[in-house]
Structures are given as C-alpha cells and as structure tokens.
Amino acid sequence: MKFFLFLFSFIYLFSLEINIDYFKNKQKYEILTLYNDKPFVCKKNVKKIICEFNDIPSTPVFKTNSVFFNITPKFQNKKFLLIIKIKGFYQLKNFNEHLYKNALINPFKMQKTKKWVVIASDKKLYEPKINGLKFYFTDSPKPFIGAIDENGNPINEESGDVLKYFEILSAYKHHRDVTAEIDSFVNTYPNSVFLPDILFLKLKILDAQNDASDVINFGKEWIKKFAFDDNLPKVLLLMAKNYSKIGFMSDAGYLFQRIINEYPNTKEAYKAMIYLADQLYMMGDDKKAFKFYEKALYSTNDIEIASLAASRLAQRYMDKGDIKKAIKYYEKIYKANKNYLLKDTQKAYELSKLLADHNAYKLAVNIGEDLIKKLKKLDDLYEPLEYNLANWYYELGNYEKALYWIERYLNEFPYGDYSDAMSALRDKVIFQVPEKNLTKQLQIIDEILKKYKGDIAYKALYKKVMILYKLKKYDEILKLENKIKEIPDKIFKNKKEFLNKFNKKYIIYLLKNKKCFKAINLIKAKKIVLDKKYDENVYKCAIETKTYDIASVVCNKYLDSPDDKIFIKWMKRKITALEGLRDYKNLVLAVDDLFNVMKKGCYEYKLKKFFALWKLKRYNEALKLAKELDKTKDIRNTDAFIKIVNRALKNSDNLLAATYSKKIIDLQDKFRAYPYSPFVEFTYAQYSQNKKEAVKVLKSLLNRISGEDRARAYFMLANLTKNKKYIDKCLKVKNSKLWKGICRDAKNLF
C-alpha cells in the first residue's frame, strides 16, 4: 500500500480528539485535526495558535512534539488551553460539522466550532483559485470525499480497521506485544487495505524473536499474497537475514543479490550489501566482503546505513590488526553520527576501552565523555567509566582533564572500588598541573599566616607574594604592599626593586586591558615612568580619564623630534592636552609651532587658536584670524563668528555685527543648519546698510519661524519696504502678543 501518511497519534481529553498526520510528496507538510463534541475557539497569535476549552480534562495531558507542531497543555483561569507553536508556514481552518450532513453552505466564517484543522509546511502554502467546478449556490449539496486507498477508492472512516490498525501500530512502537491483536485484526478485517502492513508488522515481531524458520515460512506466505506491495524488499531482506542465520548461505545470497539488483539505491539494497558482506567475510572471502562494505558506505545518502557500513569495516580491520584503518573508520562515524556509537551503552563502553587499549586515547575519551552524559550515577558503567576517563586523559598528557575526572571520582565515590588508585594517580598529576598546585599551596600558606607570627609568617608571606606574582594576581599583591615592606631584608632581598618592577608590570597589564582609571592613578601615586613603547597607551588613558597633565608630559618627549610626522602627531596631541588644561596661552604658542611645520590642513587648529585668543581677550588677533577662517567654508565658523557679533553689538559696532551676521547666515544656508537663527537674521536686517539684501534675508527667514519671531520679521519688513501689507500680515500671526501689539500701534503710520 502506498500511503504518504506515516505518523498518526491520538490523545484523548474527555471527548477531545487530536490527530497529527505527516505527509511527504513534493513538499513536506503536516495536518493537525482537533475535534470535540462541544464547540471551542482557536485563535491565531503570530507563530502559534491558542485553543480554549471550558472543561478541564480529568486525565493528565502531556506535551506533544512533531515535525511542525509543539503542543503544550496549560490551565488558566479554570480553563484548559492548548498552545500550538508552529514551525514554518501554516493555515488555520474550521468546520462546524461534516459537510455532507448539512445541505446549505454557511456564508460566514465560524468563530466557535467543533472541528479545527491546522495545515503546516516548510514552504509557503498555496491556495489555488478555482477554475473548474464551483460550489457557489446556497441550496446545492456539499461535496464530501472521505479517506481513499491507493486505488482511489473510498475507505469508510467510521469502520474500525483504520483506528484499530493505527492503535496496534502505536502500541508496537511503544514496545508492547501486539501478536494477539494482529491475529484478531486479520480475523475481524480479512479484506482490510491495511492487511499487508499488519502482517508485515507480525513478520518483524517474529524476526525480533529470532524465530528464523517462522520468519522464512511466514515471509513466503506474505509474498504470495502481496507480491506487489511496497514492503516486498523489506520482507525479502528479513528472509535473507534469517536464511543466513540458519546456514542456508546460497538462499540468503540469492535474496541479497536480488534485492541489490531489483531495488537499487534503496535502504534495503544497501543493507543487503552489508549483510551479504558479513556472510562473505564469515565464509573467508574478505576481498568481496570489503568491496560490498565500501560500496554501501560510499553509495548511500542514509547516515545510519553509512554508519553501519563504516562500523563493519572498522570491526573487520580491527580483527585483522590494522588498527590505524579501524580507528579512521570509527573517527568517521563519530564525526558524522556519534549517536550511532552511543545507542548501545555497553557496546560504546567496550569500544572506548578497545580504542584506549590500542592507544587511540583521543577518540576513547570523546566517546567516553559523551557516553557518561547518558548514564546515571547508579548505572554499572558509570564508576568504571569515570576511572578510565581519568587514566585515559593522563595517558593522553592532558593533566588538567585527568585531575578533573580524578577529583570528580573521589568526590562521588570516596570509598569506591578505584578510590586508592585514583588517590595515587592524583599524587602524580598534581605536580603536572602547576596552576592547580600553586592554588593549593596558597591555601596552605593562608593557614600558616593565621597560626604564626615572626619569621615563619614572613617566610610564608614572601612565598605567597611570589606565587601571586607568578599567577599575575596583581590586585592581591597591591593590597599586601604595606605588609611586604615589613618583611625583613634577610628574608626578602631587593624589596624595593621588586615592588617597582611589580608596579610597572601591573600598570602595563592595566593599560593593555584598558583599565585606565586604575592605571593612571597608579602612575600618579607611584610616580612610575614607563618605557616609550607604552606612551600611546598612557596618552590615550590619560585623555580618557581627563588627566590632561600626564597626557601633556607624555607629549613633551616627542616635541623635539627631527621627524616632521612624529612632531606633528604629538604636537596635535599636546594641543588637545593644553585645551583640556585650559592653558590657552601655551595653546596659542603650540598652534603657531604646529603651523611652522604643518603647511596644510590647519583649519581645525586655527579654530582652536581663535577660541584660545578669545579666552585670552586678545580680540584684535582673533579678528585677524577670523578672516583666515572665513576662507574655509565650514559650519564650525559660525561658533567663532557669533562671538564677534555679540562683542560688536556690545560695543555698538553695528557694521561689524552686520558683516559677521551675514557670514553666519550664508554658512547656515549653505549647510542647511540654523544654530543661530533668527538672532543673526534680525541683527543683519537691523544694522545692514543693504536694505535690499536685508529684505531678502527676512523673507527667507519667514519659512522657518512662527509666533513672536514671525510677527517681528513682518514688522521689520514693513519698516524696510514701507509697505503696509506686512503690517496686515503681522496682525494675522498667531501666538504673538508683543510684536503684534507693536504692529497694531504702527498701523496708522503706514
């Protein structure tokens, strides 16, 4: 029988029925059907659907996972919910009842129904437009087709064989003995379309029971009845295996070859190659056997079959003493399909021991660590596997991992079968793991420091400092600095040199790890001078922490360099530091020194010099520099020019105020940024002698202002043009009191 359906499961909650059907043709998809004798609601919520029931089930309901659905039951506000998370694309549909029971097509979509269906797929679901037969008429009977067999004939879905077959199949998958139920099914439904499948299930049960003769005889009967069924190659394979078991090698070989020839590129064909190779190997024909193993391995796309073929090759090479080739195949299986090696825990343990016996410790520990994750502490293999993992890692030279498994074993099995051996191994390993050993020494030293004073304590403290220094635990040494100074010279020679060396190392460590505050504070506190190679780090950290005095000192080292590039780089940095220090006098001098060497790209530093001159109240020099700044059309000029405008207004230098207001206006228009509007436009309009340009500026300004500013602009336009229309416009401005009032007072003057 050729059915796409291969998963069909049931969960019963009162009368609620949940069915999941998985299909695979050109597209993978799954259909979830929910049916209840009482109407219920299902609602979409992004990538999940929530179905709500008024009744709470009396039996427990567990999570269910399938290819596209994750179904989770939940109780909330005395209601039972099913939360269905969906992977991929989906459609939600509902049906009030069987279509054929109602002669009328319901014209609206039901909100609460007895039956809901969710269709999910890995690709977008396409709902075809109907081009053929259309059921538009409300009085026409509705079409209904139930389940059909492979010939397209309807199956009565209310008949018991459908449900009974899937019930038996589900029980078989849960390892129940269903032999009697199969016999009963055959007697009750002798003409069922599921007969070939149910009898094939019985054949598999006989094979599991190692009844070779029964499998062969039953297989022959099955073939007579169902010679054209899809399960035929599987039946032939079972028969061939059982012929081989009872020594009928020629019959087995014939069937294996038949499967290989008649069903090429199928799972059964590749399995037949492997089983035929087993038979040939046992008969002494190694050459042919290896050819079939390799053909199965390199031809199949099925990872389980490839793993089976590779494991057979590994076993055979191990038998022959070719350990390198055997290990190569085991490594292939481990990389591609490690679960194949781990599914039988006893065999996996024996394999890891076998590999270790042949010095393949790396693969042995990989398999061993994966295996122990699957075991529980009470499993027989757990304790010896921990013991072996410790030994294998020791042999591998990975002493840290060896120590981990030793300590884990002694913690879990302090009086275990291998505890003495583990303790002895730990004594060996502890000296191979320096960091672990030093840590334990620190614990011992701390105990001594608590118990003793005087020379013993000083010696212990000295040793502690040396260990901490080796472990780069600089913070802890820094905390002990005052105590270190107390250690007598006879115990700790060259203390000062050590502390100086330590402070430098610690600062360098902090700089490299960008712990700037700690590094700069230590430099200041200890007055440490580092080598030039760390100047970049010191400068950056000093700027980051706004410790501009240190940044300035670092820069000084390079200001007498004959290399122009080095001088320019560090002079720029010096200017940044002086800016931070607000040392404007030296900043002006530094900028002048920079200009003597750097002929291009000086704009930014001219700007810095301008602000420094302004801070120093050297206004004439600043004004002279402003003319140079004006040659570069940069929006930052507005910040300089506004200072000139404000000072000019303060000193009643209206012409200067108008001149630099216009420069700001032009820059703002150029860059479409208006940091100083409408102040500069009003200033220019008020003090400019070019009335025509002033009118133009005010008209342009109108597009960006409202309220009082807009009313003021209209008033100024009225004054400049002597045109009454601007007074009228001023009076229409909303949100203005002051300037609208001035316009009202001035109305009679026009």
Side-chain angles (χ1 to χ4, degrees):
M1 294 175 67
K2 206 162 192 175
F3 277 96
F4 292 126
L5 167 66
F6 64 80
L7 182 143
F8 193 91
S9 61
F10 295 97
I11 306 170
Y12 289 98
L13 323 170
F14 284 129
S15 55
L16 173 64
E17 182 181 304
I18 303 175
N19 303 330
I20 303 174
D21 305 292
Y22 179 76
F23 298 81
K24 183 179 179 183
N25 192 0
K26 291 181 180 178
Q27 180 176 348
K28 292 179 184 176
Y29 60 101
E30 204 164 33
I31 299 175
L32 167 66
T33 305
L34 303 168
Y35 181 79
N36 191 29
D37 60 347
K38 293 179 182 178
F40 60 99
V41 175
C42 288
K43 294 179 180 177
K44 290 183 181 181
N45 187 351
V46 192
K47 279 290 182 181
K48 65 182 177 184
I49 293 169
I50 300 172
C51 296
E52 185 180 294
F53 303 84
N54 292 326
D55 297 325
I56 298 173
S58 58
T59 54
V61 182
F62 302 102
K63 287 185 177 181
T64 303
N65 294 327
S66 67
V67 178
F68 293 106
F69 299 114
N70 290 328
I71 304 173
T72 306
K74 186 177 180 182
F75 299 99
Q76 187 174 297
N77 300 328
K78 296 185 178 180
K79 289 191 177 183
F80 174 63
L81 304 179
L82 277 182
I83 298 166
I84 306 160
K85 291 186 179 177
I86 305 163
K87 293 167 272 185
F89 300 94
Y90 75 94
Q91 292 176 6
L92 176 66
K93 299 179 181 294
N94 54 6
F95 305 91
N96 200 31
E97 55 192 342
H98 288 299
L99 294 175
Y100 61 82
K101 289 182 181 178
N102 187 355
L104 295 179
I105 294 176
N106 199 329
F108 56 88
K109 193 169 184 179
M110 289 79 72
Q111 297 299 317
K112 200 171 187 181
T113 64
K114 295 180 181 180
K115 183 176 180 182
W116 291 82
V117 174
V118 187
I119 306 163
S121 176
D122 57 344
K123 295 178 184 175
K124 194 166 184 180
L125 292 158
Y126 173 66
E127 291 187 286
K129 294 179 181 177
I130 301 170
N131 293 320
L133 194 60
K134 300 177 183 179
F135 298 93
Y136 285 156
F137 304 104
T138 55
D139 57 349
S140 65
K142 298 175 186 176
F144 173 79
I145 300 174
I148 58 173
D149 63 17
E150 77 274 19
N151 299 315
N153 299 316
I155 300 171
N156 182 4
E157 65 173 318
E158 293 181 356
S159 63
D161 64 334
V162 178
L163 296 176
K164 191 64 182 173
Y165 168 70
F166 287 110
E167 190 180 307
I168 293 169
L169 186 62
S170 178
Y172 170 76
K173 287 177 180 177
H174 287 86
H175 310 292
R176 270 180 41 205
D177 183 4
V178 292
T179 309
E181 292 176 68
I182 290 172
D183 293 337
S184 173
F185 182 94
V186 173
N187 291 328
T188 309
Y189 309 106
N191 298 314
S192 172
V193 293
F194 296 104
L195 204 60
D197 303 88
I198 206 85
L199 291 174
F200 175 63
L201 201 60
K202 183 173 181 179
L203 189 64
K204 289 201 286 186
I205 293 167
L206 291 172
D207 180 61
Q209 293 170 350
N210 288 316
D211 295 332
S213 298
D214 288 348
V215 171
I216 292 164
N217 293 329
F218 195 80
K220 287 177 181 178
E221 289 179 25
W222 190 94
I223 292 169
K224 284 179 187 177
K225 293 179 182 177
F226 314 113
F228 299 101
D229 191 86
D230 286 350
N231 284 323
L232 180 60
K234 295 176 184 174
V235 174
L236 292 172
L237 189 64
L238 287 173
M239 289 175 65
K241 279 173 62 183
N242 283 278
Y243 269 127
S244 189
K245 277 184 193 176
I246 58 177
F248 286 28
M249 300 302 183
S250 59
D251 291 330
Y254 164 75
L255 288 178
F256 284 137
Q257 286 288 3
R258 181 181 167 187
I259 296 164
I260 293 165
N261 295 332
E262 293 182 13
Y263 303 97
N265 304 319
T266 62
K267 285 187 181 182
E268 289 71 30
Y270 296 125
K271 284 182 180 178
M273 288 178 196
I274 295 167
Y275 299 147
L276 178 58
D278 289 343
Q279 186 172 294
L280 290 167
Y281 184 82
M282 298 304 293
M283 293 168 68
D285 195 345
D286 295 3
K287 193 174 180 181
K288 275 189 181 179
F290 276 82
K291 278 187 179 178
F292 275 113
Y293 285 137
E294 287 171 357
K295 189 175 180 182
L297 174 61
Y298 296 114
S299 300
T300 184
N301 291 322
D302 188 294
I303 196 164
E304 291 298 311
I305 293 170
S307 301
L308 177 63
S311 68
R312 287 287 206 279
L313 282 164
Q315 289 166 17
R316 303 311 180 209
Y317 279 118
M318 194 71 85
D319 294 343
K320 288 178 168 294
D322 194 340
I323 308 303
K324 283 187 178 179
K325 277 192 178 178
I327 290 168
K328 184 182 80 172
Y329 281 108
Y330 281 127
E331 284 174 342
K332 279 186 177 183
I333 301 168
Y334 182 79
K335 285 178 184 175
N337 187 16
K338 67 169 74 172
N339 289 329
Y340 178 85
L341 296 176
L342 299 169
K343 60 186 175 184
D344 186 321
T345 53
Q346 184 64 44
K347 284 183 180 178
Y349 176 67
E350 295 299 334
L351 174 60
S352 59
K353 282 181 67 181
L354 181 66
L355 291 165
D357 289 343
H358 290 92
N359 300 321
Y361 295 112
K362 191 173 181 181
L363 187 55
V365 295
N366 285 339
I367 294 170
E369 285 197 332
D370 286 326
L371 177 60
I372 208 163
K373 290 172 188 174
K374 298 182 72 175
L375 300 174
K376 294 179 180 177
K377 193 177 174 182
L378 295 175
D379 288 334
D380 292 339
L381 297 177
Y382 188 92
E383 184 184 353
L385 183 54
E386 272 196 342
Y387 166 75
N388 281 313
L389 280 166
N391 280 287
W392 295 341
Y393 269 119
Y394 178 76
E395 294 297 335
L396 195 57
N398 190 336
Y399 302 118
E400 286 189 29
K401 289 288 280 186
L403 187 61
Y404 165 79
W405 286 106
I406 291 166
E407 290 177 344
R408 177 167 161 174
Y409 178 90
L410 291 172
N411 184 50
E412 292 182 351
F413 303 101
Y415 307 105
D417 294 341
Y418 310 97
S419 55
D420 291 340
M422 286 284 94
S423 296
L425 185 61
R426 182 178 58 184
D427 293 341
K428 286 184 187 178
V429 171
I430 198 80
F431 296 106
Q432 303 290 342
V433 187
E435 190 172 332
K436 295 273 183 181
N437 191 30
L438 291 174
T439 304
K440 291 205 169 188
Q441 282 186 45
L442 284 173
Q443 292 173 359
I444 296 164
I445 289 167
D446 285 336
E447 288 174 13
I448 292 169
L449 289 168
K450 288 176 185 175
K451 290 179 184 177
Y452 300 99
K453 291 183 178 180
D455 282 358
I456 294 174
Y458 286 135
K459 285 177 182 177
L461 180 59
Y462 169 75
K463 196 165 187 182
K464 179 176 182 175
V465 171
M466 293 300 105
I467 292 170
L468 291 172
Y469 187 73
K470 194 171 184 179
L471 295 174
K472 295 183 179 178
K473 295 188 175 181
Y474 301 130
D475 266 334
E476 293 184 41
I477 297 173
L478 194 65
K479 290 173 187 175
L480 294 169
E481 190 171 7
N482 290 330
K483 289 185 178 180
I484 292 168
K485 289 176 182 177
E486 294 173 5
I487 301 173
D489 292 341
K490 63 180 180 179
I491 294 171
F492 195 167
K493 295 176 183 178
N494 305 318
K495 274 185 301 185
K496 289 181 180 177
E497 290 85 346
F498 169 79
L499 287 171
N500 190 53
K501 182 183 174 184
F502 153 71
N503 283 322
K504 283 186 177 181
K505 266 205 166 186
Y506 189 28
I507 290 166
I508 291 164
Y509 166 80
L510 292 169
L511 289 170
K512 285 181 177 178
N513 289 278
K514 297 181 180 177
K515 296 183 178 180
C516 289
F517 280 100
K518 275 190 175 182
I520 297 299
N521 286 337
L522 265 178
I523 289 171
K524 289 178 79 173
K526 308 296 180 184
K527 297 179 181 176
I528 298 293
V529 178
L530 298 175
D531 291 341
K532 263 190 166 186
K533 62 182 177 181
Y534 301 110
D535 284 344
E536 285 275 348
N537 304 80
V538 174
Y539 175 81
K540 287 176 183 175
C541 270
I543 292 296
E544 185 180 319
T545 57
K546 298 182 179 179
T547 318
Y548 298 112
D549 53 341
I550 288 178
S552 180
V553 169
V554 173
C555 295
N556 291 342
K557 297 180 187 180
Y558 301 92
L559 299 183
D560 58 354
S561 173
D563 187 324
D564 287 351
K565 286 185 180 178
I566 292 172
F567 171 81
I568 290 168
K569 175 183 174 181
W570 286 95
M571 183 55 88
K572 284 181 177 180
R573 289 179 167 183
K574 175 75 175 180
I575 291 164
T576 302
L578 291 170
E579 204 172 17
L581 290 167
R582 299 181 182 179
D583 186 351
Y584 302 116
K585 186 177 179 181
N586 281 314
L587 191 152
V588 170
L589 295 172
V591 171
D592 289 339
D593 287 343
L594 179 66
F595 289 170
N596 289 332
V597 179
M598 188 174 78
K599 304 300 181 184
K600 293 182 180 179
C602 299
Y603 168 77
E604 186 177 338
Y605 294 92
K606 285 179 182 177
L607 198 62
K608 287 178 185 288
K609 183 180 176 181
F610 174 89
F611 289 121
L613 290 168
W614 203 267
K615 288 281 185 183
L616 295 168
K617 298 183 179 180
R618 290 157 64 176
Y619 301 120
N620 290 334
E621 292 176 67
L623 279 169
K624 187 178 177 183
L625 188 56
K627 291 177 182 177
E628 290 185 45
L629 290 174
D630 194 31
K631 293 174 185 177
T632 303
K633 300 306 176 186
D634 191 297
I635 190 66
R636 287 176 289 178
N637 279 346
T638 58
D639 297 330
F641 295 167
I642 197 69
K643 290 185 178 296
I644 297 171
V645 171
N646 286 326
R647 180 169 171 76
L649 290 172
K650 188 177 179 182
N651 293 326
S652 302
D653 190 345
N654 298 335
L655 181 60
L656 185 63
T659 301
Y660 277 91
S661 291
K662 186 62 170 70
K663 290 180 185 294
I664 294 171
I665 291 165
D666 292 342
L667 284 169
Q668 289 186 154
D669 288 340
K670 179 179 174 64
F671 292 98
R672 294 184 181 178
Y674 303 93
Y676 299 111
S677 284
F679 171 73
V680 287
E681 286 86 354
F682 289 150
T683 301
Y684 178 72
Q686 186 173 351
Y687 299 113
S688 173
Q689 294 177 358
N690 189 339
K691 291 186 178 182
K692 187 177 179 182
E693 187 62 27
V695 169
K696 186 179 175 183
V697 165
L698 288 171
K699 284 182 177 180
S700 176
L701 177 64
L702 284 169
N703 298 321
R704 302 192 305 276
I705 56 175
S706 60
E708 293 289 5
D709 290 333
R710 193 172 184 84
R712 182 181 179 183
Y714 280 132
F715 179 80
M716 293 181 84
L717 280 166
N719 276 330
L720 287 168
T721 62
K722 307 302 179 185
N723 192 331
K724 189 180 177 181
K725 70 175 182 179
Y726 291 113
I727 293 294
D728 294 335
K729 287 184 178 183
C730 174
L731 295 171
K732 292 177 182 178
V733 173
K734 295 178 181 179
N735 302 321
S736 172
K737 290 183 179 179
L738 175 64
W739 286 97
K740 191 189 280 190
I742 292 170
C743 287
R744 192 179 295 111
D745 293 340
K747 187 175 181 181
N748 295 327
L749 300 175
F750 286 86

